[in-house]
Each structure stands twice: as structure tokens, then as C-alpha cells.
């Protein structure tokens, strides 16, 4: 069937991408490749998912796959939200540091020129 | 902007203005009026701007720090009372417009402010007559304990939570707030209020920022 070919091709491509980007711990890679293998098996033998689903108390294999995908996507969204917040905090720290450094630089520059910018002179 | 800064420099305090990435001549006006200007190259929000100003003041060896909104709603004449509260032993002195006075406030806005106070008291676990007043004074020694990480407006509730968890001595000081057309345009409406709440809970449940030794 054409759909199987398409799905297997996509899974293979994902696996190749993951393999190319193998900078992380091998554990991550093994985990991802393992999941891809399971997905590949589900594509080749769809009835297998129904067997597993029945064991877990779900009627159809397709439903089980659906649930897993939903939970997985939510997990990914939360993961990236946390990353996003962390990044925002880091940007804040950087911009603050630049603001403080520039102020000091301007003050030192004014002092060096001897223009005596009275209001900006250090108070202590 | 210039008028607000001049009102403060008349009191012989050192004035620090944080320009949160504005594109107009805010920085020039403030500098011209005698303030030290710190400029964020990006707009980071009021919480981040406050923290930048506090960091600078602490680095400059300030003993007492007063935060003051730049939209003209506060009165420099209220500052001595806040500082007196610190001298009397408080770590933090919070301005309260509900103990003091509000000028030029519309009824819906007053109601909204009351609701905001009630919500803030509930979630921060401390009870004050005014929660989100921008006019406050603090000892430099407690600045690290009050560290603000919320970039936008939820920082006020965060500050109160820090006050509670660090068991700081707090007093409220009556102040006068003057709402002008300009300050109203800069103020917060219902929608922003909801957004603040959203920010507060999301950030709170998030991982705390990692401390990196330098």
C-alpha cells in the first residue's frame, strides 16, 4: 500500500536526521531510534496495535496511537515553553548587563574627556 | 518625563531612569533633567526595568532605594514618609493609594484596582490595602531577597510573595496618586489584568531560573 511506503519513508528520514544530529548522549539516540522502530512495526503490522490496545483496555489500536500522540505533543509543547521562558530570562540578564556596562562606559568616557558632566559624576 | 525627573532631583536624590527600549527621546529628556539613564536595548517589561534600576543602585552603594513610576502619577512629596518608615525599622515601605488618596480616578478604574488588590492578596498570601503601587522604598540590604524575575507586570505580586517568604518587615505608607490622561493611557485594563494573572501562575509553576556563579 502506498500509505505504508510514505509512512516508512518519513520515519526513515526522521531516523536519519536524528542520527546526523547525534551530539547528545547515546541514550537519547537509542530511545528515539527505538520509538521509530516501534512506529515502523505499527505501520507494517497495524493489527499489533489493536492487540496492545485491548491489553490496556482501549478498543481500537488507532485510538491508542491517537492518545499517545496527543500526550506526546502536549509534553513537547510544555518542554519548549519552559525552554522559551529560560531563554527570555537569559535575554533579560544580557540586556541588563549591557545597560549597566554602557552607563559605566559613558561615565568613564565623560570623565576621561574632562568635560565634568556634573550630574553623572560618581556620588561616592 | 523631564518634569517627573526634575521633581525628583529637586529633592537632592540621585535619580536613575530605566529606558526600557523606547524609541522616542525619553533618555535624552531624563538625562537633561539630571537623571542617570540606563537603557535596555530591547523592551523587557516593567519588572525587568525595575530590577535593572535596583541592581544599578545597589552596585553604586545606595543604602535605600525608592521605586517611582515615570508617568507622573506619583508625588515626590511622599518619598520622605517612605524613607522615614525605613528609618523606623522597616525593610520595605509600600505606598498605598487606598490609605492615601486618588485624584482623577474613574469609578470603574477604582473598582478594578480594588479587585486587583483582592486577587493579589489571595495569591500572594499577604494582606495589604494596595498591592500594585509603583511607589515603594526598600533597604539595599534586602534587594537580593526581593529579586524580580517576572518581566512584565506580574512582578508586583512576585515582590509581595518574596516579602512573605523572606519574612521581611513591611509597612504601608499612605500616598497620593494623581491620574492624568497620560498615566491612564499607560495604565492596565481588565485584559492586561488577566494577562498578569496568567503570567504569574505560568512563571510560578515553571522552573526557577538557575543561578550561575560568575
Amino acid at each position: 500500500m502506498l500509505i505504508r511506503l510514505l509512512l516508512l519513508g518519513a520515519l526513515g528520514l526522521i531516523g536519519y536526521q536524528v542520527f546526523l544530529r547525534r551530539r547528545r548522549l547515546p541514550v537519547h539516540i537509542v530511545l528515539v531510534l527505538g520509538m521509530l522502530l516501534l512506529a515502523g512495526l505499527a505501520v507494517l503490522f497495524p493489527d499489533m496495535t489493536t492487540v496492545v490496545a485491548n491489553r490496556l483496555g482501549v478498543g481500537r489500536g488507532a485510538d491508542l496511537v491517537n492518545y499517545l500522540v496527543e500526550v506526546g505533543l502536549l509534553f513537547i509543547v510544555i518542554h519548549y515553553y519552559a525552554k522559551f521562558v529560560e531563554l527570555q530570562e537569559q535575554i533579560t540578564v544580557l540586556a541588563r548587563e549591557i545597560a549597566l556596562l554602557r552607563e559605566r562606559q559613558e561615565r568613564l568616557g565623560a570623565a576621561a574627556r574632562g568635560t565634568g558632566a556634573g550630574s553623572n559624576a560618581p556620588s561616592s | 518625563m523631564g518634569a517627573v525627573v526634575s521633581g525628583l532631583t529637586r529633592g537632592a536624590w540621585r535619580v536613575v531612569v530605566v529606558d526600557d527600549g523606547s524609541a522616542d527621546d525619553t533618555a535624552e529628556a531624563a538625562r537633561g533633567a539630571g537623571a542617570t539613564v540606563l537603557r535596555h536595548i530591547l523592551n523587557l517589561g516593567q519588572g525587568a526595568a525595575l530590577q535593572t534600576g535596583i541592581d544599578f543602585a545597589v552596585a553604586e552603594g545606595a543604602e535605600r532605594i525608592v521605586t517611582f513610576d515615570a508617568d507622573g502619577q506619583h508625588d515626590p512629596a511622599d518619598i520622605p514618609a517612605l524613607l522615614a518608615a525605613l528609618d523606623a525599622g522597616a525593610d520595605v515601605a509600600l505606598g498605598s493609594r487606598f490609605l492615601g488618596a486618588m485624584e482623577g480616578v474613574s469609578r470603574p478604574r477604582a473598582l478594578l484596582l480594588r479587585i486587583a488588590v483582592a486577587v493579589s492578596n489571595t495569591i500572594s498570601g499577604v494582606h495589604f490595602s494596595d498591592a500594585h503601587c509603583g511607589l515603594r522604598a526598600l533597604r539595599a540590604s534586602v534587594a537580593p531577597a526581593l529579586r524580580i524575575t517576572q518581566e512584565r507586570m506580574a512582578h508586583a505580586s512576585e515582590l509581595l510573595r518574596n516579602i512573605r517568604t523572606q519574612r521581611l518587615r513591611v509597612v504601608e505608607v499612605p500616598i497620593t496618586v494623581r491620574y492624568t490622561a497620560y498615566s491612564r493611557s499607560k495604565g492596565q485594563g481588565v485584559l492586561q489584568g488577566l494577562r498578569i494573572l496568567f503570567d504569574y501562575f505560568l512563571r510560578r509553576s515553571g522552573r526557577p531560573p538557575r543561578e550561575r556563579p560568575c
Side-chain angles (χ1 to χ4, degrees):
Chain A
M1 275 180 286
L2 190 58
I3 184 67
R4 282 193 180 167
L5 231 77
L6 287 172
L7 285 175
L8 285 178
L11 287 173
L13 219 67
I14 293 169
Y16 179 63
Q17 286 289 325
V18 171
F19 184 72
L20 280 183
R21 280 159 218 268
R22 59 186 185 288
R23 276 187 307 126
R24 298 184 172 206
L25 290 168
V27 187
H28 282 88
I29 300 298
V30 171
L31 214 74
V32 172
L33 292 183
M35 275 169 64
L36 286 173
L37 203 73
L38 278 178
L41 284 174
V43 171
L44 287 175
F45 313 104
D47 295 342
M48 240 177 56
T49 57
T50 305
V51 175
V52 179
N54 287 337
R55 278 267 160 89
L56 292 172
V58 180
R60 293 189 313 172
D63 289 338
L64 177 67
V65 171
N66 217 340
Y67 299 151
L68 289 178
V69 167
E70 276 164 26
V71 171
L73 281 179
L74 264 177
F75 175 79
I76 290 169
V77 167
I78 291 169
H79 175 78
Y80 279 101
Y81 179 74
K83 281 262 178 245
F84 169 77
V85 168
E86 200 180 307
L87 212 62
Q88 215 174 18
E89 275 158 7
Q90 288 169 349
I91 289 171
T92 300
V93 170
L94 278 178
R96 178 172 298 142
E97 203 61 36
I98 291 170
L100 295 173
L101 280 174
R102 278 202 180 158
E103 194 280 333
R104 186 182 302 168
Q105 194 188 22
E106 274 163 27
R107 195 165 14 161
L108 288 176
R113 281 196 303 275
T115 47
S119 56
N120 278 353
S123 56
S124 52
Chain B
M1 184 70 227
V4 173
V5 173
S6 324
L8 287 167
T9 47
R10 263 201 294 280
W13 295 295
R14 177 124 184 245
V15 182
V16 178
V17 171
V18 182
D19 173 2
D20 195 21
S22 51
D24 55 14
D25 56 353
T26 299
E28 280 317 304
R31 210 172 271 132
T36 300
V37 176
L38 305 175
R39 189 167 187 283
H40 284 169
I41 53 173
L42 302 164
N43 181 270
L44 301 173
Q46 195 186 354
L50 269 178
Q51 189 57 51
T52 299
I54 292 171
D55 278 4
F56 178 77
V58 170
E60 291 287 296
E63 286 170 12
R64 300 177 299 184
I65 301 162
V66 174
T67 68
F68 196 94
D69 285 1
D71 61 3
Q73 64 165 284
H74 295 147
D75 185 352
D78 286 323
I79 292 178
L82 289 166
L83 294 177
L86 293 188
D87 289 337
D91 294 319
V92 184
L94 302 173
S96 170
R97 60 203 130 176
F98 291 111
L99 292 181
M102 282 188 282
E103 290 170 14
V105 66
S106 62
R107 285 178 77 87
R109 167 151 288 269
L111 183 69
L112 179 64
L113 284 166
R114 293 239 177 241
I115 294 170
V117 170
V119 171
S120 170
N121 279 339
T122 309
I123 63 180
S124 64
V126 278
H127 289 268
F128 292 116
S129 60
D130 192 351
H132 293 86
C133 183
L135 182 52
R136 353 171 155 78
L138 57 120
R139 285 177 198 283
S141 57
V142 301
L146 290 178
R147 194 147 195 96
I148 297 163
T149 56
Q150 305 246 9
E151 275 95 20
R152 287 189 296 263
M153 294 299 292
H155 63 83
S157 304
E158 187 187 14
L159 195 98
L160 295 181
R161 196 173 74 242
N162 289 344
I163 285 174
R164 186 189 55 158
T165 54
Q166 308 286 332
R167 298 178 185 285
L168 301 179
R169 284 160 296 178
V170 199
V171 289
E172 285 193 289
V173 176
I175 62 151
T176 302
V177 170
R178 206 168 33 238
Y179 289 96
T180 60
Y182 178 69
S183 74
R184 270 197 292 274
S185 75
K186 289 283 188 182
Q188 310 288 317
V190 178
L191 279 177
Q192 284 99 323
L194 291 176
R195 173 149 186 213
I196 291 167
L197 211 59
F198 184 71
D199 275 359
Y200 180 84
F201 282 110
L202 273 181
R203 292 301 175 89
R204 185 180 174 174
S205 51
R207 242 180 308 170
R210 264 175 249 159
E211 293 286 336
R212 288 193 176 77
C214 11

